[in-house]
Amino acid sequence: MNRAAWKSRFGFYLVAVGSAFGLGNLWRFPYIVAENGGGAFVLLYVLLALILGLPLLIAELFLGHSNRKSVMSATLLLDAKTHTRWKKWIGRLSVVISLVVLSYYSVISGWVLHFLMQFFIETASRFGVESQITMAPLMRSGVLQLGLASVHLLIATVIVTKGVQEGLEKWVGALMPAFVLMMVVLVTKTFSLPSTPEALRFLFYPDFSKLKLSSLLAAIGHVCFTLSLGFGTMVTFGSYLSDKEHIPTAAFRITLIDTLLSLVAGILIFPIALSFNHQTLKEPALLFEALPGFLLSLPGGAWFGILFFLCLYLASLSASISLLEVIVSNAMEFKKIPRMSAAWGALAIVLILATIPAFSTNLMRFTGEGSAVELLDFILIQLILPIAAVSIGSLVYTSIAESEKQRLFIDRLKIESLAMYSHWKWTLKYLVPAILFAAVLLQFFALLK
Ligand code: TRP
């Protein structure tokens, strides 16, 4: 693989922020907040993004940058350097996580595709009828969900086999400012809804009694998911980063932008959700139940719908491509599988895995609480992903030479970087593992109750 550095610093930001910003911010963040009681959880999430997400993001970028390798080769190299044999397993775990997450990310991307098509049909056939665009057809049919996920994966696979994903990622990144602008315009439209004060209070007033024992782990999992930590993606991005870039500054900006965008998503979704639909607040369907009806109620709403879901679709396509690329490039490097076979092989495995989330809303719905997709989400995003992300952080702490860490972190022109360096190391060594340990313990008590 060619390790050319990004041509411009701007290119790196477009791709890194583009990877962080996606369904995690717009789809996952609102319903996880609702599940965990609102304001207090939002506060916890923002704090954790800064004290756990940011140090881990710096660590992943360092790992890639210092070895100029992607996650599997980088961890293998650490094994060789430190005469151990287990570090490579953390790299492998990241690749497996990417594979499994891609399977249900594709199902949700399929939902986005469904709404995009519905809005197209809507604009094409406007005869003044009161129209409705809902989740119902999806919820009834696992076949439809799997079909849409397959179409989505097929598009992603073709792009990856052609090796044109980098160009696409930049284009999609360049589109994101427009997407953000549209979100802000839509937010101003929600101000006239009567539920806005209630929604803002729900989001920003921290009522700590609403937190659950499991909330800490939920927040950590979401921080890792939304910042793409534990997947190996950020390691790869770090490997392409030019030496001139100050990684901690870049990581800080990425964290800040991603967190702000989640908050904007919350400010957009909750006023709508509270005025139209209270039932689905805590479910993965939240975004899709709330937004389309509201968009249709605006003048020219169907066009807004097309634009919004098109941007959201492109964001999820670019995320899916990055996830697939992690799998394909590692398979190419390690198993010497050609790009074509690696991509189509990955597609086959992901499709088989995707049947679980696709059918979970009807056939595999558990009686009582939750569906298979929620169980999968819990095990994967809230348990395995944080463990992988924190392990990569510890590897960077223990296995990259002190002089190398200092070289990457300390910038003579930035006096504060000297003080931040010792904070960063301390946080990676003690604070981050301690928070994860506490969270797992609390989760354990929650399960016992
Ligand atoms: N952070 C992305 C989001 O918020 C999801 C994601 C996780 C991702 N891992 C990734 C995107 C790897 C690209 C590459 O939607």
Side-chain angles (χ1 to χ4, degrees):
M1 201 194 295
N2 159 21
R3 292 277 157 204
W6 304 99
K7 293 219 180 50
S8 70
R9 122 191 299 200
F10 193 59
F12 166 72
Y13 278 105
L14 282 186
V15 175
V17 174
S19 151
F21 177 53
L23 286 173
N25 307 67
L26 272 151
W27 158 72
R28 199 170 187 276
F29 177 71
Y31 89 80
I32 295 285
V33 167
E35 239 177 21
N36 288 280
F41 182 81
V42 172
L43 190 67
L44 188 66
Y45 159 74
V46 173
L47 280 178
L48 285 175
L50 290 173
I51 62 176
L52 183 133
L54 175 59
L56 289 177
L57 179 54
I58 297 175
E60 288 204 9
L61 291 171
F62 272 12
L63 180 62
H65 190 70
S66 134
N67 299 306
R68 297 261 167 215
K69 289 210 174 348
S70 47
V71 69
M72 270 171 64
S73 327
T75 45
L76 197 68
L77 203 70
L78 291 186
D79 264 337
K81 277 186 190 159
T82 54
H83 308 291
T84 48
R85 309 179 70 157
W86 52 270
K87 290 173 185 157
K88 61 173 182 283
W89 288 102
I90 297 175
R92 289 180 182 171
L93 180 64
S94 294
V95 178
V96 173
I97 291 175
S98 297
L99 193 83
V100 184
V101 166
L102 179 57
S103 74
Y104 87 87
Y105 207 87
S106 300
V107 172
I108 312 295
S109 306
W111 295 6
V112 179
L113 214 49
H114 166 82
F115 283 94
L116 180 59
M117 288 182 337
Q118 294 296 309
F119 275 106
F120 263 119
I121 296 171
E122 175 65 27
T123 44
S125 63
R126 273 231 109 144
F127 298 112
V129 223
E130 251 330 280
S131 51
Q132 276 209 328
I133 297 183
T134 66
M135 283 289 280
L138 285 172
M139 292 296 106
R140 272 195 307 268
S141 167
V143 176
L144 179 61
Q145 292 191 52
L146 191 63
L148 289 164
S150 317
V151 172
H152 170 77
L153 277 167
L154 210 63
I155 300 174
T157 309
V158 168
I159 292 171
V160 168
T161 51
K162 299 243 181 274
V164 291
Q165 60 274 24
E166 273 170 44
L168 189 112
E169 275 168 354
K170 275 189 197 158
W171 275 103
V172 172
L175 215 93
M176 288 304 119
F179 190 17
V180 173
L181 191 71
M182 181 160 51
M183 281 168 66
V184 174
V185 170
L186 287 175
V187 164
T188 62
K189 305 256 181 216
T190 63
F191 286 162
S192 55
L193 293 173
S195 53
T196 301
E198 185 195 347
L200 292 180
R201 191 181 153 79
F202 177 73
L203 259 180
F204 294 113
Y205 177 78
D207 177 354
F208 290 98
S209 66
K210 296 244 180 75
L211 282 178
K212 301 191 273 188
L213 281 175
S214 55
S215 295
L216 185 59
L217 199 57
I220 296 177
H222 189 71
V223 165
C224 294
F225 184 78
T226 191
L227 290 174
S228 313
L229 297 170
F231 295 87
T233 319
M234 290 298 178
V235 179
T236 306
F237 288 168
S239 76
Y240 289 124
L241 201 53
S242 108
D243 252 342
K244 285 191 271 293
E245 197 64 48
H246 187 236
I247 290 179
T249 309
F252 179 67
R253 289 184 186 151
I254 295 169
T255 307
L256 202 66
I257 296 174
D258 187 73
T259 307
L260 282 176
L261 288 176
S262 285
L263 296 180
V264 174
I267 299 173
L268 172 64
I269 302 300
F270 280 107
I272 304 172
L274 289 178
S275 58
F276 286 105
N277 199 326
H278 277 272
Q279 300 95 330
T280 49
L281 227 47
K282 301 178 182 173
E283 288 180 23
L286 171 59
L287 167 74
F288 301 97
E289 292 281 7
L291 204 60
F294 173 71
L295 290 174
L296 283 177
S297 74
L298 300 174
W303 289 103
F304 258 126
I306 291 187
L307 278 181
F308 186 92
F309 281 97
L310 186 64
C311 288
L312 186 59
Y313 181 68
L314 288 175
S316 27
L317 181 63
S318 125
S320 307
I321 289 170
S322 308
L323 287 167
L324 189 60
E325 180 62 26
V326 171
I327 306 159
V328 169
S329 58
N330 280 292
M332 284 164 64
E333 259 177 66
F334 278 87
K335 302 279 174 214
K336 304 274 175 273
I337 304 175
R339 176 170 278 275
M340 272 287 178
S341 334
W344 292 110
L347 171 80
I349 299 173
V350 172
L351 265 183
I352 294 170
L353 288 174
T355 51
I356 303 175
F359 285 94
S360 73
T361 44
N362 50 9
L363 288 186
M364 280 191 250
R365 184 147 201 110
F366 299 151
T367 43
E369 252 204 55
S371 59
V373 76
E374 282 157 275
L375 182 68
L376 194 69
D377 183 278
F378 169 72
I379 297 176
L380 202 68
I381 307 292
Q382 303 191 23
L383 221 52
I384 301 181
L385 184 64
I387 291 175
V390 171
S391 309
I392 296 179
S394 305
L395 282 192
V396 170
Y397 176 80
T398 51
S399 312
I400 293 188
E402 177 69 24
S403 57
E404 172 74 355
K405 285 195 291 247
Q406 287 190 6
R407 179 181 77 80
L408 292 174
F409 203 110
I410 297 171
D411 179 347
R412 287 204 186 74
L413 298 176
K414 292 188 166 75
I415 309 192
E416 68 285 5
S417 67
L418 197 65
M420 290 310 286
Y421 179 63
S422 50
H423 289 316
W424 173 69
K425 276 203 334 186
W426 185 85
T427 307
L428 265 194
K429 185 174 181 191
Y430 297 110
L431 196 57
V432 167
I435 296 174
L436 181 62
F437 183 70
V440 172
L441 214 59
L442 289 176
Q443 176 67 54
F444 183 67
F445 288 133
L447 290 178
L448 283 186
K449 269 212 316 194

